[in-house]
Amino acid sequence: MMNKDFREFEKSKLEELCELAKKCSYIDPELFIKYQVKRGLRDLDGKGVLVGLTEIGEVHSYIIDENEIVPVPGRLIYRGVDIFDLVDGFISEGRFGFEETTYLLLFGDLPSKEQLREFEKLLSSYRELPEKFLKDMILNLPGKNIMNVLARSVLAYYSYDCNPDDSSVQNVLKQCIRLIACMPTIAVYAYQALSHYYDKKSLVIHSPRPDLSTAENILHMLRPDSKYTELEAALLDLSLVLHAEHGGGNNSTFVTHVVTSTGTDTYSVIAAALGSLKGPRHGGANIKVCEMFEDLKQNVKDFKDDDEVENYLMKLLNKEAFDRSGLIYGIGHAVYSISDPRCILLKEQAEKLAREKGLEDEFELYERVERLAPQVIGKVRKMYKGVSANVDFYSGFVYKMLNLPLELYTPIFAISRMAGWAAHRIEEIVNAGKIIRPAYKSVAERRDYVAMKDRK
């Protein structure tokens, strides 16, 4: 254990070194303009810099008319199938859609009834964790952040694989299907361990059931009594479908392409993608939305008064409320401007669950903020494109209505996006591209080496 004198030395020295690190790391923002660097790989008008081609997912938000970018309602397309048609298909037939969506993303076509049945059988066979995995990797090593437990567990799967470095498509496909199947089990068990060891709650472990869908299994394993309604399971399933894929340019999927291009193993690739998704700018936004609404409820007396709500939103933008970040969480997207199709679909079903749960007033509050926020942003900020609610705006509310713990919000995103990551990893391997290595220009001044005796 460090003594008091060392802790004081450590604190002082780290503060000093921190200032040195910040000083030498700063780059004048004007240089990015001078050298035409597209920060975030995006143009000033919000258009992404083209870095690859994919057949898996398409995010569409504008058309070009006489060389002008014209925003249009957002569209999300999986393997050529519009998300609205995909969702309408399985909902109208009273089926769950995540397994069908996963098949579509991996294999390029919608499955027949027999193909889907056999694929679901394969997934079911992989849901159980390897022998002693639960005890050794989860219960004996509980973590406060489930995303870290997921990443650690995925890396541990390398040791349980008899051929982990084989990057043939068949072997990678088997590895990916196993991870798609077992990630819900790992995530829920990691939460149960966290709840037991850190919150002193009873430890409840339910084995996954082969006859249940992915969404049903999550609720079955998570809840002590394993009970859930059809609407609850259907809404969680829809959320999984909507988060499964979002084109090759989202951060974690781009990471999947980048790391796959090095030739490394599947487990290292997925662990890297999980690290990306964990970031609050990517996968953690819906938690911020929920926290923001809780703060709104504490600071706005009349939720049905547009002026009061608008005043609160103005305070958010002026960094005078909530976390003082200047953001209205859940509003705006890097690509979508007029609408996020995922938000539209999730909102429709969220309204049904809100009625079932007696939460109509809270749903109306979300609708009010969704309507007012773009107006308030338009008054305060100069925008190159419009803003609308994104999928995170309602997903957190949905998870709250499902009584899912905050700690599982981002892991559920990961459970879903694993399908997209798998498809993109295979696509990168099949096309045998070069290692992805973009250029960085050094703007450091040249200088001479100084001998130790002459340094100050």
Side-chain angles (χ1 to χ4, degrees):
M1 183 177 290
M2 295 182 291
N3 59 39
K4 183 179 178 181
D5 289 342
F6 180 80
R7 287 198 300 270
E8 290 177 353
F9 162 77
E10 178 189 42
K11 182 176 183 295
S12 174
K13 181 51 64 175
L14 285 175
E15 287 175 352
E16 176 189 333
L17 294 174
C18 178
E19 291 305 312
L20 291 174
K22 288 194 292 186
K23 182 179 178 181
C24 74
S25 298
Y26 177 78
I27 296 174
D28 184 350
E30 292 297 320
L31 292 176
F32 290 95
I33 299 173
K34 177 180 178 181
Y35 294 110
Q36 298 182 336
V37 176
K38 310 291 179 66
R39 301 194 75 178
L41 292 181
R42 305 206 69 81
D43 292 316
L44 290 176
D45 60 9
K47 184 180 177 182
V49 176
L50 188 63
V51 296
L53 303 174
T54 183
E55 290 196 352
I56 300 166
E58 179 184 352
V59 182
H60 182 72
S61 65
Y62 64 86
I63 59 174
I64 304 294
D65 185 15
E66 295 184 356
N67 294 320
E68 292 287 331
I69 293 178
V70 181
V72 295
R75 296 179 65 192
L76 176 60
I77 299 168
Y78 290 175
R79 294 285 189 181
V81 179
D82 191 285
I83 193 68
F84 284 102
D85 296 333
L86 179 65
V87 170
D88 180 65
F90 63 77
I91 287 182
S92 65
E93 295 176 9
R95 298 184 289 105
F96 293 104
F98 180 63
E99 290 74 20
E100 176 182 19
T101 299
T102 300
Y103 186 99
L104 172 64
L105 293 173
L106 286 174
F107 310 117
D109 284 313
L110 292 165
S112 66
K113 184 179 291 187
E114 180 63 18
Q115 287 172 328
L116 182 58
R117 186 191 67 80
E118 291 177 349
F119 183 59
E120 289 173 340
K121 180 179 178 181
L122 194 59
L123 287 172
S124 295
S125 69
Y126 289 147
R127 284 201 173 105
E128 289 275 4
L129 303 183
E131 186 179 359
K132 297 183 180 180
F133 193 97
L134 170 60
K135 179 176 179 291
D136 293 344
M137 294 305 306
I138 300 176
L139 297 182
N140 286 349
L141 293 169
K144 291 185 178 181
N145 191 294
I146 295 170
M147 289 296 288
N148 283 63
V149 178
L150 272 176
R152 185 181 71 208
S153 297
V154 165
L155 288 173
Y157 253 74
Y158 180 99
S159 300
Y160 289 83
D161 190 331
C162 61
N163 203 11
D165 290 304
D166 178 1
S167 60
S168 67
V169 173
Q170 182 171 330
N171 193 58
V172 168
L173 180 62
K174 177 183 177 181
Q175 292 169 334
C176 287
I177 294 174
R178 284 186 72 193
L179 291 176
I180 291 167
C182 74
M183 280 182 76
T185 310
I186 295 171
V188 173
Y189 287 176
Y191 171 73
Q192 303 292 24
L194 181 156
S195 178
H196 176 65
Y197 289 106
Y198 292 102
D199 299 332
K200 308 303 179 185
K201 296 181 181 178
S202 298
L203 179 62
V204 179
I205 299 293
H206 296 309
S207 295
R209 284 173 43 182
D211 58 315
L212 299 181
S213 69
T214 301
E216 289 175 301
N217 260 308
I218 291 171
L219 296 174
H220 152 67
M221 291 187 292
L222 182 63
R223 295 180 174 177
D225 61 4
S226 292
K227 293 180 179 179
Y228 51 86
T229 68
E230 289 184 13
L231 182 56
E232 286 179 321
L235 196 45
L236 180 56
D237 174 74
L238 174 62
S239 182
L240 294 176
V241 169
L242 297 178
H243 286 88
E245 161 64 3
H246 210 239
N250 71 83
N251 194 279
S252 56
T253 302
F254 186 52
V255 165
T256 300
H257 276 279
V258 171
V259 182
T260 295
S261 77
T262 70
T264 194
D265 66 277
T266 296
Y267 307 105
S268 295
V269 170
I270 300 306
L274 285 163
S276 164
L277 191 67
K278 180 189 174 186
R281 290 183 178 182
H282 189 7
N286 55 15
I287 297 175
K288 282 290 190 178
V289 173
C290 289
E291 292 172 345
M292 179 185 74
F293 269 90
E294 290 304 312
D295 186 75
L296 184 155
K297 292 175 190 176
Q298 295 174 16
N299 290 281
V300 174
K301 293 180 180 179
D302 185 357
F303 304 153
K304 298 186 178 183
D305 187 317
D306 280 8
D307 290 337
E308 281 198 52
V309 174
E310 186 172 328
N311 183 54
Y312 175 82
L313 296 176
M314 193 68 74
K315 288 181 178 178
L316 286 176
L317 292 179
N318 292 330
K319 301 183 179 182
E320 297 170 352
F322 186 40
D323 62 359
R324 289 167 170 73
S325 66
L327 300 174
I328 300 178
Y329 291 100
I331 302 295
H333 189 270
V335 180
Y336 300 122
S337 55
I338 291 180
S339 62
D340 180 340
R342 303 168 300 171
C343 179
I344 294 172
L345 288 164
L346 200 58
K347 178 182 177 181
E348 289 176 359
Q349 301 304 315
E351 185 174 10
K352 296 178 184 178
L353 188 59
R355 287 199 298 269
E356 182 178 282
K357 300 280 187 179
L359 295 170
E360 294 95 334
D361 287 347
E362 187 159 358
F363 179 78
E364 287 178 9
L365 174 60
Y366 272 78
E367 281 193 310
R368 181 167 284 103
V369 172
E370 180 188 7
R371 171 171 54 83
L372 293 174
Q375 300 173 21
V376 174
I377 293 172
K379 293 177 183 178
V380 176
R381 301 269 168 83
K382 182 178 180 180
M383 298 182 293
Y384 58 81
K385 67 183 184 73
V387 293
S388 61
N390 60 50
V391 69
D392 295 313
F393 190 80
Y394 283 102
S395 64
F397 179 49
V398 166
Y399 297 162
K400 178 183 174 184
M401 289 193 291
L402 292 173
N403 293 316
L404 300 180
L406 277 173
E407 294 89 346
L408 275 175
Y409 284 17
T410 308
I412 286 174
F413 192 164
I415 289 166
S416 171
R417 188 55 61 86
M418 181 62 219
W421 293 337
H424 280 276
R425 170 161 170 73
I426 292 170
E427 188 176 65
E428 184 68 33
I429 291 171
V430 167
N431 289 285
K434 295 182 177 181
I435 184 171
I436 298 173
R437 189 189 183 283
Y440 266 69
K441 178 178 178 60
S442 173
V443 292
E445 293 182 3
R446 299 289 193 274
R447 51 184 176 161
D448 296 328
Y449 176 81
V450 179
M452 179 65 76
K453 64 183 180 61
D454 296 324
R455 298 176 199 171
K456 296 180 181 179

